[in-house]
Amino acid sequence: MTSRRGFLVAVADTGRGTAGARRPARWLLFLYVICLLAAAPTGVPRPVAGGGLSAERLTALFDSYGDTSGRWTGADRTASVRLPDGRLLWLFSDTFLGPVNPDGSRPRTAPFVNNSAIVQHNDRLGETLHGGTPDEPRALVPSPSAGEFHWIGDAQVVGDTLQVLVNRYRRTGAGPLDHTLLGTSLATFALPALTPTGVRPLPLDARISWGSALLRDGGHTYVYGTEAAGQSKFAHLARVRGDDLGGPWEFWTGDGWSTDGRASARVLSGVGTAYGVQRIDGRYVLVTHENNLVFSADLVAYSAAAPTGPFEGPDYLHRAPETAAGHLVYDADLHPALARPGKLLVSYNVNDVDDAVTYADAGVYRPRFVEVDWPRPRPDRADVPLAPATLTARPGGAGTAELDWPAVRTDSELRYQVHRRDVTAGQTHFARIGEPTAEPRFSADFLVDRHDYEFRVTTVGRRGESAPSPAARMTATVPPPPPPTGLRAQPGRSGDVTLSWNPVPFVQLFRVQQRDLTTGERTSIGTFTGTHATVEFLQHARTYEFTVVAVGGGGDSPPSLPVRATAVVTPPAAPAGLTATALWDGTVRLTWRTLGRGVSYRVHRRDVSRGRAYAPPALESGASHVARHLEHGREYEFTVSAVNSGGESPQADPVRIVARFAPPDAAPRGLRAEAGPGSVKLSWRSSVSGGWHRVYRRDLTAGERDFTEEAIPTQGTRTTVAGLRNGHEYEFTVAAANQAGPGPLSEPVRATPQLPTPTGLTGTAGGNGEARLSWVSAGPGLAYRVQLRDATAGETWRTDPYPVHGTRHTAVLLTRGHRYEFRVAATDGTTDGTTSEPVSVEVR
């Protein structure tokens, strides 16, 4: 068998093609930084004459870029959009980054992200765009939480914004089918820099993955989507007025438009999760991978007089040769911005069923391009042969449909092509099945139990294909398949076990399960399309039991006889490429080359200046570490070891570096002051919001000209300065600081601490020459001064010599029959505040 390259994909309800072994991990973080890395491919054909690029040229471009860029080795989905400045942006879903090995294989440590992009300049592929950093790349469109990820839909330019529809999924298990659609979001990027500006969920239900294709036509933008229902897929259609996908949506119901997404009707069966729609000469052409059949090699086109259909076809455009080598093809798309006149430029994705093949040869998991003349030539109906006059279909004993028809006139070159439609599954069009046959009979297999099917036959001659015969209908009776036999398990050296088993007639899918004999835990590994699978990331020295179930049209077989294998995990090699960089804030950033999934790292450090031994290691899951709490001017030594379930690696060659602080170079901004009793609350914004800051003050009322530094620095961006004199005006300023000293001062602010004014003062006569007073507390920790005067005798205000601690006071030894007035002021023992409103009491 030839060397096969590709990446594993899921069956029809995932949109990634067909089932396969487990993908690389898709755990995403909230980092959202685009990394621009240039690579100029060479040694490929020059552009063709007549405008556009040839399919041969584009396929060669991506092959060369994947082999030589050192940044991108392959991806799927393959959407394209022309930017206003003439560049072309290619958008991808699952993507392998990094370099390719000299032998053409993909390193097991290759970074993997769920979406990415490449910028094309004229006929050259340039920057690779993704999130994170070159050492720790992340998805271009990040996920909102762990266990979720985005796959790319179609994209368009609206003004100075790039809009990208993305479908959000959540992981539900370890296998490639173990995820569920959560909804559709709109990711936006500012042009021309392609700066990410947000990801906004759209108010759409999770039944349909919207964004399969976008089409601007007239005053609307049409949005095509895909509904996955079992192993069938159906096209849906929505639209927005104008071109802003963030505006209100309407949904095609089959006979009109509705604002209710639940009313969206199926337009066409047999589409992929991604497909292309283009208006040509007043008609609408939809190009897709043939999904009315599982694992088809065909790319087909349908056409209609309106975006809503009804669609006629299919026209068969291309049969992908990669399926002959056991690969899978899926997700066809159109690229009108690069198409040459009179041609459809179609891309499709290629993959494989075995995870090991993904890494063995990097070239398969890349887009392929084909060109097709459009409109398709139509033969003169007088030149094509006659169709069979009748057709009969009856159930076969092994779950097949046995077809026969009367032979058409004798011609040694005539062949018959059988077409099938699964009525029960809701298929709207017939699809070719099998290869043309010279005999007037055919056995159709891979049917689903109790499904109704319709069959038709055409006659294929030298000058074309006949119209179809009358349809024959039949209900399939398909028994469950027998269990797979000959299951074998071969442990590898990296926690992997390779499984293989014998073929089962009329079965294309197999489901693998494992049981950890140490814990008893059972796990569904995934669904596979071949007779072998590689199970990865097993624990060293643990014994696992594996079984395989055949999945056929009649249901699931009993499980195979189990087989056991003990996993072997070789301890990792010492991490290579350890580097240390001293940062201005006194930290040291360490990076090293990743050793792939299933490996963690221990970071060791010691203070060389003090001659200390290595401290207990810090633990990291990725290939970087930031060492903190270092001292300015001291030399430190760092080394790293890698750990997996097989043990710990030797330590990397150590690196030494001196920690250096530089004073912060940015002054805090937005300093604000809120005065209180004997205190002022300060807050500000800072480039080191969690770092240390120095606060300075001066008493303007006391005539101070110089600022005084507060004795205790503040960590964070807020503090309260206490011990101030009420009624004095103060000026404050703030500076960020570290071990190297303070940075520039902020703009100053002024505030005057004031004692609060008591409220709610009431007074009542108590008899015996007394007056009882009460008021509302003005705040904790305050005392009060009571002032009074005999208004009847014409006295001026006088202050009671004793402060009151509390909010009640009884004035005694007052003159009966006189009217007294009282008022209250808060005091801090040094300064009295503003007095309250007075109250009067007639003393008895």
Side-chain angles (χ1 to χ4, degrees), residues 156-168:
Q156 66 173 11
V157 172
V158 180
D160 58 358
T161 298
L162 174 69
Q163 294 186 337
V164 184
L165 288 172
V166 294
N167 302 129
R168 182 164 59 96

PDB file of all heavy atoms in Angstrom, residues 156-168:
ATOM      1  N   GLN A 156     -16.926  36.964   5.089  1.00  0.00           N
ATOM      2  CA  GLN A 156     -17.132  38.056   4.155  1.00  0.00           C
ATOM      3  C   GLN A 156     -16.581  39.339   4.761  1.00  0.00           C
ATOM      4  O   GLN A 156     -16.347  39.429   5.962  1.00  0.00           O
ATOM      5  CB  GLN A 156     -18.613  38.232   3.833  1.00  0.00           C
ATOM      6  CG  GLN A 156     -19.443  38.693   5.022  1.00  0.00           C
ATOM      7  CD  GLN A 156     -20.878  39.030   4.631  1.00  0.00           C
ATOM      8  OE1 GLN A 156     -21.332  38.738   3.535  1.00  0.00           O
ATOM      9  NE2 GLN A 156     -21.594  39.673   5.527  1.00  0.00           N
ATOM     10  N   VAL A 157     -16.364  40.340   3.891  1.00  0.00           N
ATOM     11  CA  VAL A 157     -15.898  41.653   4.315  1.00  0.00           C
ATOM     12  C   VAL A 157     -17.091  42.604   4.311  1.00  0.00           C
ATOM     13  O   VAL A 157     -17.841  42.677   3.339  1.00  0.00           O
ATOM     14  CB  VAL A 157     -14.785  42.171   3.392  1.00  0.00           C
ATOM     15  CG1 VAL A 157     -14.437  43.621   3.730  1.00  0.00           C
ATOM     16  CG2 VAL A 157     -13.551  41.293   3.514  1.00  0.00           C
ATOM     17  N   VAL A 158     -17.246  43.333   5.435  1.00  0.00           N
ATOM     18  CA  VAL A 158     -18.280  44.356   5.562  1.00  0.00           C
ATOM     19  C   VAL A 158     -17.583  45.649   5.982  1.00  0.00           C
ATOM     20  O   VAL A 158     -17.161  45.779   7.136  1.00  0.00           O
ATOM     21  CB  VAL A 158     -19.348  43.955   6.594  1.00  0.00           C
ATOM     22  CG1 VAL A 158     -20.413  45.031   6.704  1.00  0.00           C
ATOM     23  CG2 VAL A 158     -19.977  42.618   6.230  1.00  0.00           C
ATOM     24  N   GLY A 159     -17.399  46.581   5.044  1.00  0.00           N
ATOM     25  CA  GLY A 159     -16.678  47.807   5.357  1.00  0.00           C
ATOM     26  C   GLY A 159     -15.231  47.500   5.705  1.00  0.00           C
ATOM     27  O   GLY A 159     -14.490  46.900   4.934  1.00  0.00           O
ATOM     28  N   ASP A 160     -14.818  47.924   6.908  1.00  0.00           N
ATOM     29  CA  ASP A 160     -13.454  47.657   7.366  1.00  0.00           C
ATOM     30  C   ASP A 160     -13.414  46.519   8.377  1.00  0.00           C
ATOM     31  O   ASP A 160     -12.528  46.453   9.215  1.00  0.00           O
ATOM     32  CB  ASP A 160     -12.835  48.919   7.975  1.00  0.00           C
ATOM     33  CG  ASP A 160     -13.647  49.460   9.147  1.00  0.00           C
ATOM     34  OD1 ASP A 160     -14.712  48.880   9.466  1.00  0.00           O
ATOM     35  OD2 ASP A 160     -13.230  50.475   9.748  1.00  0.00           O
ATOM     36  N   THR A 161     -14.387  45.602   8.278  1.00  0.00           N
ATOM     37  CA  THR A 161     -14.479  44.474   9.206  1.00  0.00           C
ATOM     38  C   THR A 161     -14.589  43.167   8.427  1.00  0.00           C
ATOM     39  O   THR A 161     -15.316  43.082   7.432  1.00  0.00           O
ATOM     40  CB  THR A 161     -15.706  44.627  10.124  1.00  0.00           C
ATOM     41  OG1 THR A 161     -15.567  45.816  10.897  1.00  0.00           O
ATOM     42  CG2 THR A 161     -15.844  43.436  11.059  1.00  0.00           C
ATOM     43  N   LEU A 162     -13.861  42.171   8.886  1.00  0.00           N
ATOM     44  CA  LEU A 162     -14.037  40.805   8.383  1.00  0.00           C
ATOM     45  C   LEU A 162     -14.984  40.074   9.319  1.00  0.00           C
ATOM     46  O   LEU A 162     -14.755  40.018  10.527  1.00  0.00           O
ATOM     47  CB  LEU A 162     -12.693  40.072   8.331  1.00  0.00           C
ATOM     48  CG  LEU A 162     -12.762  38.584   7.966  1.00  0.00           C
ATOM     49  CD1 LEU A 162     -13.164  38.400   6.509  1.00  0.00           C
ATOM     50  CD2 LEU A 162     -11.440  37.891   8.256  1.00  0.00           C
ATOM     51  N   GLN A 163     -16.062  39.529   8.757  1.00  0.00           N
ATOM     52  CA  GLN A 163     -17.023  38.747   9.529  1.00  0.00           C
ATOM     53  C   GLN A 163     -16.849  37.271   9.179  1.00  0.00           C
ATOM     54  O   GLN A 163     -16.836  36.907   8.003  1.00  0.00           O
ATOM     55  CB  GLN A 163     -18.456  39.186   9.224  1.00  0.00           C
ATOM     56  CG  GLN A 163     -18.777  40.602   9.679  1.00  0.00           C
ATOM     57  CD  GLN A 163     -20.249  40.941   9.488  1.00  0.00           C
ATOM     58  OE1 GLN A 163     -20.953  40.327   8.666  1.00  0.00           O
ATOM     59  NE2 GLN A 163     -20.743  41.900  10.243  1.00  0.00           N
ATOM     60  N   VAL A 164     -16.721  36.430  10.211  1.00  0.00           N
ATOM     61  CA  VAL A 164     -16.536  34.994  10.029  1.00  0.00           C
ATOM     62  C   VAL A 164     -17.585  34.272  10.863  1.00  0.00           C
ATOM     63  O   VAL A 164     -17.651  34.466  12.084  1.00  0.00           O
ATOM     64  CB  VAL A 164     -15.132  34.539  10.459  1.00  0.00           C
ATOM     65  CG1 VAL A 164     -14.948  33.044  10.160  1.00  0.00           C
ATOM     66  CG2 VAL A 164     -14.057  35.362   9.772  1.00  0.00           C
ATOM     67  N   LEU A 165     -18.407  33.458  10.216  1.00  0.00           N
ATOM     68  CA  LEU A 165     -19.334  32.602  10.962  1.00  0.00           C
ATOM     69  C   LEU A 165     -18.565  31.388  11.472  1.00  0.00           C
ATOM     70  O   LEU A 165     -17.815  30.755  10.714  1.00  0.00           O
ATOM     71  CB  LEU A 165     -20.500  32.166  10.084  1.00  0.00           C
ATOM     72  CG  LEU A 165     -21.508  33.276   9.752  1.00  0.00           C
ATOM     73  CD1 LEU A 165     -22.510  32.778   8.716  1.00  0.00           C
ATOM     74  CD2 LEU A 165     -22.234  33.746  11.001  1.00  0.00           C
ATOM     75  N   VAL A 166     -18.728  31.068  12.746  1.00  0.00           N
ATOM     76  CA  VAL A 166     -18.042  29.929  13.352  1.00  0.00           C
ATOM     77  C   VAL A 166     -19.065  29.104  14.111  1.00  0.00           C
ATOM     78  O   VAL A 166     -20.013  29.638  14.698  1.00  0.00           O
ATOM     79  CB  VAL A 166     -16.896  30.380  14.288  1.00  0.00           C
ATOM     80  CG1 VAL A 166     -15.790  31.058  13.505  1.00  0.00           C
ATOM     81  CG2 VAL A 166     -17.398  31.308  15.395  1.00  0.00           C
ATOM     82  N   ASN A 167     -18.878  27.800  14.089  1.00  0.00           N
ATOM     83  CA  ASN A 167     -19.758  26.880  14.799  1.00  0.00           C
ATOM     84  C   ASN A 167     -19.076  26.416  16.067  1.00  0.00           C
ATOM     85  O   ASN A 167     -17.926  25.985  16.043  1.00  0.00           O
ATOM     86  CB  ASN A 167     -20.114  25.681  13.922  1.00  0.00           C
ATOM     87  CG  ASN A 167     -20.778  26.104  12.614  1.00  0.00           C
ATOM     88  OD1 ASN A 167     -20.361  25.675  11.553  1.00  0.00           O
ATOM     89  ND2 ASN A 167     -21.787  26.946  12.683  1.00  0.00           N
ATOM     90  N   ARG A 168     -19.794  26.511  17.185  1.00  0.00           N
ATOM     91  CA  ARG A 168     -19.230  26.176  18.505  1.00  0.00           C
ATOM     92  C   ARG A 168     -19.668  24.767  18.890  1.00  0.00           C
ATOM     93  O   ARG A 168     -20.853  24.425  18.826  1.00  0.00           O
ATOM     94  CB  ARG A 168     -19.680  27.199  19.545  1.00  0.00           C
ATOM     95  CG  ARG A 168     -19.116  26.962  20.935  1.00  0.00           C
ATOM     96  CD  ARG A 168     -19.274  28.214  21.794  1.00  0.00           C
ATOM     97  NE  ARG A 168     -20.658  28.606  21.922  1.00  0.00           N
ATOM     98  CZ  ARG A 168     -21.446  28.279  22.950  1.00  0.00           C
ATOM     99  NH1 ARG A 168     -20.963  27.550  23.944  1.00  0.00           N
ATOM    100  NH2 ARG A 168     -22.699  28.676  22.991  1.00  0.00           N
TER     101      ARG A 168
END
